[in-house]
Amino acid sequence: PHRLVHRLSLDLRGVRPSPDDVARVEVDAAAYDTLVDEYMNDPRFRDRAMDLFAEIYLTKTENYFVNLAAYGVDDVPAALLLDSIGREALEVFGEVADNDLPVTELVTGDWTMANEVTARLWPLDYPDGASGWQRAHYTDGRPAAGILAGTGIWWRFMSTDSNANRKRANQTSRIFLCHDYLVRPIEFDRNVNLLDQEAVNDALRTNPGCLNCHVSLDPMAAHFFGFTSLQPDSTDAGSYHPARERGWEDALGTPPGYYGTPTNNLSDLGHQIAADHRFPQCLTEHAMRVLLRRDAELLDMTRLTEHRDALIEGGLTVRALFRSVVTSPEYKAATDDGLPGTQVPLKQATPGLLVSQTEALTGFR
């Protein structure tokens, strides 16, 4: 019980439990489920959920290939500037988790999260004189597509002209569908001259080895041309450009679509993902990975299905999913006895978890 309550408190709140909480579970094992609900209703749950899924979204970085000087934010400390850009998508996730919104809002919502820093970078209706993270709306005509319509995530995952937004499409697939094209096995025709762009373009349309991925990847990539920046030294990259949405005609020659279903814009893509059975399945896999600290394996499929069903039956809320995982036998197992599904290695604290523990114990951040 002592180790289990510590594990739970660190995972759901980022801090160590009180001696009283440990004693409650030592006296009555049923008190554990009560603690689960208490910890998930703790104000620190929001930041902890964001910290866990930062490992999935990967939007935080120390450099963005954007001319930030053009935005007139030289007075903003570099650490705060970079953190604010990288947190936009995570703050959306945190808002969904903390307010028990259906996770479909992640890809269909008509709002984003902004603070006083991102409000200076991007066209948002953030209130003048306000501070801190709060809901806001983009004012440049971009479609409603939740995180997919945010600027921060696509500053993190930029695209070159020749890449034609395929990187953005793959990150969308990796994050929301758990399908990473870059680890997909392919049989490639080595006779294609990779130095001949025309030959490459022809192969992408006709070569079976290329079509294996590009038949679904390219139609998804076609949704992101509104984010095309033509003037990298200006603030052009901070806005969405509806007039450039049809850039796929020249760059890809493939219209927007979703696994064979024609679509019109980014909003359609978000709704297709939200309706895809792989979306809740993928979110469940992510939750298991960050809470159990291991990838889901074949022996986990039954439990994975149970957690996914709990997510759906719980109104597609993050709390319903987390509750299912942290009350599972795999999470509560006390030892690594070698039996399938019971391997519980000691979990190494992430940088964010070390920060929150230290701050709670000492007041120093």
Side-chain angles (χ1 to χ4, degrees):
H2 178 86
R3 291 178 60 185
L4 177 59
V5 176
H6 274 75
R7 184 186 310 157
L8 181 72
S9 184
L10 289 171
D11 278 339
L12 297 185
R13 304 188 304 166
V15 300
R16 293 183 175 275
S18 69
D20 288 344
D21 286 349
V22 176
R24 286 167 60 187
V25 179
E26 287 178 336
V27 172
D28 179 12
Y32 177 80
D33 290 346
T34 303
L35 272 184
V36 170
D37 291 331
E38 289 179 7
Y39 287 173
M40 286 198 298
N41 285 297
D42 187 291
R44 291 167 288 199
F45 173 72
R46 178 188 182 120
D47 285 343
R48 187 64 190 133
M50 290 167 50
D51 191 47
L52 287 168
F53 270 72
E55 302 173 39
I56 305 299
Y57 286 20
L58 302 177
T59 53
K60 289 188 175 185
T61 185
E62 296 180 355
N63 186 35
Y64 295 92
F65 292 97
V66 175
N67 181 20
L68 292 173
Y71 292 82
V73 289
D74 293 343
D75 58 317
V76 179
L80 175 59
L81 181 62
L82 297 176
D83 183 66
S84 297
I85 296 169
R87 282 176 70 95
E88 182 193 22
L90 297 173
E91 287 286 348
V92 172
F93 183 83
E95 182 78 354
V96 167
D98 195 37
N99 291 281
D100 286 333
L101 301 176
V103 293
T104 50
E105 282 284 299
L106 297 173
V107 289
T108 63
D110 64 351
W111 52 274
T112 188
M113 296 295 290
N115 67 357
E116 64 274 20
V117 176
T118 59
R120 293 175 58 181
L121 296 170
W122 307 324
L124 294 159
D125 61 359
Y126 190 83
D128 291 338
S131 63
W133 289 97
Q134 55 185 279
R135 288 198 201 187
H137 302 83
Y138 281 98
T139 59
D140 54 6
R142 65 185 67 194
I147 290 172
L148 299 178
T151 298
I153 189 171
W154 305 131
W155 275 15
R156 169 64 178 87
F157 301 115
M158 300 288 281
S159 178
T160 61
D161 291 341
S162 59
N163 180 255
N165 288 309
R166 294 183 178 99
K167 180 177 184 177
R168 289 167 169 166
N170 184 54
Q171 292 300 327
T172 298
S173 180
R174 178 188 67 81
I175 293 171
F176 297 108
L177 301 175
C178 290
H179 178 197
D180 188 345
Y181 285 87
L182 296 181
V183 299
R184 185 171 173 174
I186 61 170
E187 188 67 33
F188 184 71
D189 185 354
R190 299 181 183 274
N191 293 321
V192 177
N193 182 2
L194 298 179
L195 299 179
D196 184 339
Q197 189 61 50
E198 186 174 336
V200 170
N201 290 339
D202 180 68
L204 295 179
R205 292 188 296 268
T206 62
N207 189 291
C210 298
L211 283 171
N212 181 42
C213 290
H214 287 272
V215 70
S216 57
L217 179 66
D218 287 10
M220 193 179 297
H223 294 91
F224 295 99
F225 281 88
F227 291 103
T228 301
S229 175
L230 303 180
Q231 300 170 308
D233 292 331
S234 71
T235 59
D236 191 58
S239 297
Y240 184 86
H241 307 278
R244 299 173 190 170
E245 288 179 346
R246 297 188 67 86
W248 56 264
E249 294 178 336
D250 295 325
L252 288 172
T254 302
Y258 188 80
Y259 293 94
T261 301
T263 54
N264 294 311
N265 57 27
L266 201 58
S267 183
D268 285 355
L269 174 62
H271 282 277
Q272 288 287 345
I273 292 174
D276 195 320
H277 73 277
R278 292 175 297 174
F279 176 59
Q281 181 89 358
C282 180
L283 187 68
T284 303
E285 288 184 29
H286 289 327
M288 289 183 67
R289 181 177 298 114
V290 297
L291 290 170
L292 297 180
R293 287 293 160 199
R294 62 176 176 81
D295 290 337
E297 302 171 351
L298 184 60
L299 292 171
D300 293 307
M301 289 303 103
T302 298
R303 194 73 68 198
L304 180 65
T305 300
E306 291 178 5
H307 296 328
R308 183 205 61 198
D309 291 349
L311 167 65
I312 296 171
E313 293 167 5
L316 291 172
T317 65
V318 173
R319 281 191 176 93
L321 174 57
F322 274 35
R323 182 182 295 107
S324 182
V325 176
V326 299
T327 56
S328 67
E330 291 78 16
Y331 185 87
K332 297 169 69 174
T335 61
D336 176 2
D337 58 12
L339 296 176
T342 64
Q343 289 78 9
V344 185
L346 292 177
K347 298 194 286 187
Q348 189 172 33
T350 62
L353 189 53
L354 289 171
V355 168
S356 61
Q357 287 187 77
T358 303
E359 183 176 23
L361 290 169
T362 69
F364 173 77
R365 185 172 181 84

